Amino acid sequence: TSLDDIKAKGKLVLGLDDAFPPMGFKDENQNIVGFDIDLAREVCKRMGVELVVQPISWDAKELELSTKNIDCIWNGMTYNEERAKSMTLSIPYMKNTQVTVVLTSSDVNTLADLAGKVVAIQNGSTASDAIDANADFKNSLKELVKVDDNVQALLDLKVSGSDAVVMDEVVARYYTEKEAGTYKILDETLADEDYIVGFRKGDKSLCAEVEKYLKEMAADGTLAKISETWFGK
Ligand code: GLN
């Protein structure tokens, strides 16, 4: 089974977009750290295997998984129907919303203010589902541009390459705190989401084992402890 394979190999290879703080990202010392990394490391410890982290392009995640370059995608990945068809997905372990980020200096305060303007999103991200679900907003835009990751999207915002970025709230909050005074998050949100872990289609025994430890860690307080490290309280 998929679980036997991982145990025989002695390691679980986790694929991530390493520009996705605080879920998984490179710190100043080039170490990959984050909430999902701590969760996965603890799950691997309980499984008796080593955790190996493998940065990937978010847009290529399905391919990285199917070609066996990685064993799972664990990186603030949102549940959607398309992913449920192409992968085996875990139970949800955290909630998120899609939010819109603009520069503090911008006169944009509502989604309606973005009519005729340029919005950027990450390639392969569910930000695109959130925009599709809000048709009036989508149709009001001048252009929807796609970039590789959110770091690039926020840089583009600073050099006026776009007027707003739609992205995961957890990441938006990380950057608004890190670069205080630079960005603001609009009050209106675009979608509520659940974070899940993705495995190769059919890797059910591996998925069930990870779920078992996720539940165990929720019950024994480990999840709350890791959550406090990255999100406070
Ligand atoms: N939550 C978004 C998605 O699932 C972005 C995740 C990410 O870039 N790591 O597509």
Side-chain angles (χ1 to χ4, degrees), residues 17 20 58 75-78 83 122 124-126 168 193 195:
D17 154 21
F20 203 72
W58 193 246
N75 186 218
M77 182 164 75
T78 301
R83 290 170 181 174
Q122 179 191 26
S125 162
T126 49
D168 293 43
E193 309 183 322
Y195 283 160

Short mmCIF file of all heavy atoms in Angstrom, two decimals, residues 17 20 58 75-78 83 122 124-126 168 193 195, ligand 1:
data_model
loop_
_atom_site.label_atom_id
_atom_site.label_comp_id
_atom_site.label_asym_id
_atom_site.label_seq_id
_atom_site.Cartn_x
_atom_site.Cartn_y
_atom_site.Cartn_z
N ASP A 17 5.01 25.54 -2.15
CA ASP A 17 5.38 26.85 -2.70
C ASP A 17 6.07 27.53 -1.53
O ASP A 17 5.43 27.89 -0.56
CB ASP A 17 4.08 27.56 -3.10
CG ASP A 17 4.18 29.08 -3.09
OD1 ASP A 17 5.31 29.61 -3.16
OD2 ASP A 17 3.12 29.73 -3.02
N PHE A 20 5.12 31.09 0.81
CA PHE A 20 3.76 31.07 1.33
C PHE A 20 3.74 31.11 2.86
O PHE A 20 3.28 30.18 3.53
CB PHE A 20 3.03 29.82 0.79
CG PHE A 20 1.55 29.95 0.78
CD1 PHE A 20 0.92 30.78 -0.14
CD2 PHE A 20 0.76 29.25 1.68
CE1 PHE A 20 -0.46 30.90 -0.15
CE2 PHE A 20 -0.62 29.37 1.68
CZ PHE A 20 -1.23 30.19 0.76
N TRP A 58 3.79 26.26 -7.70
CA TRP A 58 2.42 25.93 -7.30
C TRP A 58 1.57 25.49 -8.48
O TRP A 58 0.70 24.62 -8.36
CB TRP A 58 1.78 27.13 -6.58
CG TRP A 58 0.52 26.78 -5.87
CD1 TRP A 58 -0.74 27.22 -6.16
CD2 TRP A 58 0.38 25.88 -4.77
NE1 TRP A 58 -1.66 26.65 -5.30
CE2 TRP A 58 -0.98 25.83 -4.44
CE3 TRP A 58 1.29 25.10 -4.03
CZ2 TRP A 58 -1.47 25.03 -3.39
CZ3 TRP A 58 0.80 24.30 -2.99
CH2 TRP A 58 -0.56 24.28 -2.69
N ASN A 75 0.51 22.68 2.12
CA ASN A 75 0.98 24.06 2.00
C ASN A 75 -0.21 25.02 1.86
O ASN A 75 -0.34 25.71 0.88
CB ASN A 75 1.89 24.12 0.76
CG ASN A 75 2.60 25.44 0.56
OD1 ASN A 75 2.75 25.86 -0.57
ND2 ASN A 75 3.04 26.09 1.59
N GLY A 76 -1.08 25.00 2.88
CA GLY A 76 -2.25 25.87 2.80
C GLY A 76 -3.01 25.62 1.52
O GLY A 76 -3.46 26.55 0.86
N MET A 77 -3.18 24.34 1.18
CA MET A 77 -3.91 24.02 -0.06
C MET A 77 -5.41 23.95 0.22
O MET A 77 -5.86 23.22 1.11
CB MET A 77 -3.43 22.72 -0.68
CG MET A 77 -4.17 22.45 -2.00
SD MET A 77 -3.40 21.22 -3.03
CE MET A 77 -3.82 19.73 -2.16
N THR A 78 -6.14 24.71 -0.56
CA THR A 78 -7.58 24.81 -0.41
C THR A 78 -8.29 23.65 -1.09
O THR A 78 -7.94 23.26 -2.20
CB THR A 78 -8.05 26.13 -1.06
OG1 THR A 78 -7.38 27.20 -0.42
CG2 THR A 78 -9.55 26.31 -0.98
N ARG A 83 -9.64 19.45 -7.46
CA ARG A 83 -8.56 18.76 -6.74
C ARG A 83 -9.06 17.44 -6.14
O ARG A 83 -8.32 16.47 -6.07
CB ARG A 83 -8.01 19.69 -5.65
CG ARG A 83 -7.23 20.86 -6.24
CD ARG A 83 -6.87 21.91 -5.22
NE ARG A 83 -6.14 23.01 -5.86
CZ ARG A 83 -5.79 24.12 -5.25
NH1 ARG A 83 -6.09 24.30 -3.98
NH2 ARG A 83 -5.14 25.06 -5.90
N GLN A 122 -2.05 34.42 -7.86
CA GLN A 122 -1.02 33.41 -8.07
C GLN A 122 -1.53 32.34 -9.03
O GLN A 122 -2.66 31.86 -8.89
CB GLN A 122 -0.66 32.78 -6.73
CG GLN A 122 0.39 31.69 -6.83
CD GLN A 122 0.53 30.91 -5.55
OE1 GLN A 122 -0.40 30.81 -4.76
NE2 GLN A 122 1.70 30.34 -5.36
N GLY A 124 -2.41 28.94 -10.53
CA GLY A 124 -2.72 27.64 -9.92
C GLY A 124 -3.34 27.76 -8.55
O GLY A 124 -3.51 26.77 -7.84
N SER A 125 -3.70 28.99 -8.14
CA SER A 125 -4.28 29.19 -6.82
C SER A 125 -5.80 29.27 -6.87
O SER A 125 -6.39 29.65 -7.88
CB SER A 125 -3.73 30.49 -6.23
OG SER A 125 -4.55 30.93 -5.17
N THR A 126 -6.44 28.96 -5.73
CA THR A 126 -7.90 29.05 -5.64
C THR A 126 -8.38 30.50 -5.56
O THR A 126 -9.58 30.73 -5.48
CB THR A 126 -8.42 28.26 -4.43
OG1 THR A 126 -7.66 28.63 -3.28
CG2 THR A 126 -8.33 26.77 -4.67
N ASP A 168 -4.67 34.35 -0.11
CA ASP A 168 -5.10 33.74 1.15
C ASP A 168 -4.93 34.73 2.31
O ASP A 168 -3.88 35.38 2.43
CB ASP A 168 -4.27 32.49 1.45
CG ASP A 168 -4.55 31.36 0.46
OD1 ASP A 168 -4.64 31.65 -0.76
OD2 ASP A 168 -4.65 30.21 0.89
N GLU A 193 -12.75 29.11 2.77
CA GLU A 193 -12.11 27.88 2.29
C GLU A 193 -11.68 26.98 3.43
O GLU A 193 -11.54 27.43 4.56
CB GLU A 193 -10.83 28.25 1.51
CG GLU A 193 -10.99 29.28 0.44
CD GLU A 193 -9.69 29.51 -0.32
OE1 GLU A 193 -8.62 29.50 0.31
OE2 GLU A 193 -9.77 29.68 -1.55
N TYR A 195 -8.50 24.25 4.36
CA TYR A 195 -7.19 23.72 3.99
C TYR A 195 -7.16 22.20 4.19
O TYR A 195 -7.62 21.69 5.21
CB TYR A 195 -6.09 24.34 4.84
CG TYR A 195 -5.69 25.75 4.46
CD1 TYR A 195 -5.04 26.57 5.39
CD2 TYR A 195 -5.92 26.26 3.19
CE1 TYR A 195 -4.63 27.85 5.05
CE2 TYR A 195 -5.51 27.55 2.85
CZ TYR A 195 -4.87 28.34 3.79
OH TYR A 195 -4.46 29.60 3.46
N1 GLN B 1 -4.79 28.29 -0.89
C1 GLN B 1 -4.34 28.54 -2.23
C2 GLN B 1 -4.57 27.30 -3.06
O1 GLN B 1 -4.90 26.29 -2.53
C3 GLN B 1 -2.86 28.93 -2.29
C4 GLN B 1 -1.95 27.92 -1.67
C5 GLN B 1 -0.47 28.10 -1.93
O2 GLN B 1 -0.04 28.86 -2.78
N2 GLN B 1 0.34 27.40 -1.24
O3 GLN B 1 -4.40 27.30 -4.25
#
